[in-house]
Amino acid sequence: MGMKNQTWVSEIVLLGFQNLHNFKVPLFSLFLLIYILTVWENVLIIVLVAFSRNLHSPMYFFLQQLSACDLLESAIILPILLQTVIYEKVTLPFIGCMMQFSFFAVPEAFECLLLAVMAYDRYVAICIPLRYTSIMSHRVCVTFILISWLLSFMFALGLASTVASLQFCNQNTINHFFCDFFPLLELSCSDTFLVYINIILESIPLVFFPFILISVSYMCIAHAILKIVSHTGRQKAFSTCSSHLAVVSMFYGTIIALYMAPPRKESQTTSKVLSLLYTVVTPLVNPLIYSLRSKDIRKIMQRVLNGTK
């Protein structure tokens, strides 16, 4: 009886950032510039690693995969974000919103797994360097990546089917710039308690286990670095994993702040800012962090620039 007055949602309205007024054009220009730079940086990393023999190592192979992941994430989020800024809202078909949500979950889940694989790679390189070549062979690295992509697609499919199974009625407005997990659940008129439990259980192998592996790897790395007698040796060992540590801190810091805390209506602006950090800023900053810290990438970029003059 209670379902008679309910209208099933066929489209979703994303409000994005409201009341921008005179800041609309500058903000649109800023996000467009970020999008162009993000695409350029990550494509450059992918191409350099693919065609430079000096970069044919596990570390740079994983970096290439991270760039592909960031590129995919930017392509999913930023075009819609640009539309919400310039038009102040965007209307998506319900299926389109679900597709964006599921596609977005793939690179997010993959990055969690990839960062754990990269942490293991640094652990092997620093703690057991004599066996590094045999342990981190090209076949093993490719296997790690294929399994990570497969698990990410399976997780995204399960997550999307769980959310799509909910009932959405009456309200169709989301105060966000993309179709994210919490905003979609708040929009649903179904009981979402079991959904929260299901998502937490699904997140354990893809979020918590990788985070534990990263933490244990860096504890072992720190212990190994402290055993190094020379200051130069310590500095060299730490420099090989400092870029990865910075990326991990930025990625997991925003994820924990955004998804581990219970959602509140008064914190919608904070949620949007945190979402901007890991969906827009992180894909832009990741290539900069690695390229600035890597002597090999800097040398190859200098050769490319000198060759074009």
Side-chain angles (χ1 to χ4, degrees):
M1 294 293 291
M3 303 294 288
K4 288 183 178 179
N5 295 327
Q6 291 179 343
T7 304
W8 303 112
V9 170
S10 61
E11 58 184 24
I12 300 292
V13 179
L14 298 173
L15 297 180
F17 296 92
Q18 297 290 300
N19 303 317
L20 293 175
H21 303 300
N22 296 332
F23 294 99
K24 184 185 295 185
V25 174
L27 199 60
F28 176 83
S29 302
L30 175 62
F31 287 143
L32 181 60
L33 178 62
I34 288 174
Y35 188 27
I36 294 170
L37 288 174
T38 300
V39 171
W40 183 82
E41 289 171 358
N42 286 290
V43 168
L44 181 63
I45 293 292
I46 293 170
V47 172
L48 286 178
V49 174
F51 293 100
S52 301
R53 292 183 180 179
N54 293 339
L55 302 181
H56 287 178
S57 66
M59 183 176 70
Y60 292 114
F61 173 68
F62 296 139
L63 175 58
Q64 185 185 47
Q65 296 299 312
L66 181 62
S67 291
C69 175
D70 288 338
L71 196 61
L72 177 61
E73 184 177 334
S74 298
I76 293 167
I77 297 299
L78 271 160
I80 301 295
L81 171 60
L82 290 170
Q83 291 181 56
T84 60
V85 170
I86 204 69
Y87 298 118
E88 293 193 348
K89 67 177 181 179
V90 170
T91 302
L92 296 176
F94 180 76
I95 295 176
C97 187
M98 288 295 106
M99 287 180 65
Q100 189 200 35
F101 173 66
S102 57
F103 287 149
F104 170 72
V106 173
E108 288 302 297
F110 177 75
E111 188 162 350
C112 289
L113 295 171
L114 179 61
L115 291 176
V117 172
M118 293 173 79
Y120 177 71
D121 173 68
R122 292 299 86 205
Y123 160 75
V124 176
I126 293 173
C127 297
I128 40 179
L130 297 178
R131 296 180 58 195
Y132 179 75
T133 307
S134 59
I135 293 175
M136 298 303 294
S137 65
H138 182 68
R139 184 177 179 180
V140 170
C141 294
V142 171
T143 303
F144 278 147
I145 293 302
L146 290 177
I147 291 173
S148 297
W149 278 117
L150 179 62
L151 290 175
S152 301
F153 276 106
M154 290 173 61
F155 172 74
L157 186 62
L159 191 63
S161 61
T162 301
V163 175
S165 66
L166 298 172
Q167 294 177 344
F168 294 87
C169 39
N170 299 328
Q171 293 185 349
N172 70 333
T173 303
I174 294 179
N175 188 12
H176 212 325
F177 59 86
F178 73 101
C179 298
D180 201 7
F181 177 66
F182 281 137
L184 282 170
L185 257 59
E186 290 173 4
L187 201 65
S188 173
C189 53
S190 302
D191 184 7
T192 58
F193 176 75
L194 291 177
V195 176
Y196 278 107
I197 300 300
N198 186 33
I199 296 305
I200 290 171
L201 292 175
E202 288 183 8
S203 299
I204 289 174
L206 281 168
V207 179
F208 294 105
F209 283 173
F211 183 74
I212 291 171
L213 178 60
I214 291 169
S215 301
V216 172
S217 296
Y218 273 104
M219 281 191 284
C220 294
I221 288 170
H223 181 68
I225 290 175
L226 290 174
K227 286 184 175 180
I228 299 174
V229 178
S230 66
H231 176 72
T232 306
R234 286 185 182 182
Q235 192 173 20
K236 185 177 179 181
F238 179 75
S239 66
T240 60
C241 57
S242 58
S243 299
H244 177 259
L245 192 58
V247 171
V248 167
S249 302
M250 186 165 54
F251 179 76
Y252 272 100
T254 52
I255 289 290
I256 291 170
L258 190 58
Y259 293 111
M260 295 299 110
R264 298 176 183 175
K265 290 184 178 180
E266 62 268 19
S267 63
Q268 287 177 340
T269 303
T270 305
S271 296
K272 289 180 189 178
V273 172
L274 289 172
S275 296
L276 278 175
L277 281 177
Y278 85 97
T279 60
V280 177
V281 178
T282 299
L284 172 71
V285 172
N286 280 351
L288 293 175
I289 292 174
Y290 277 100
S291 61
L292 289 174
R293 296 291 301 176
S294 171
K295 292 181 180 179
D296 293 328
I297 291 180
R298 289 203 305 269
K299 286 179 181 178
I300 291 171
M301 288 183 69
Q302 285 176 358
R303 289 179 190 172
V304 172
L305 291 172
N306 292 332
T308 57
K309 290 180 180 179

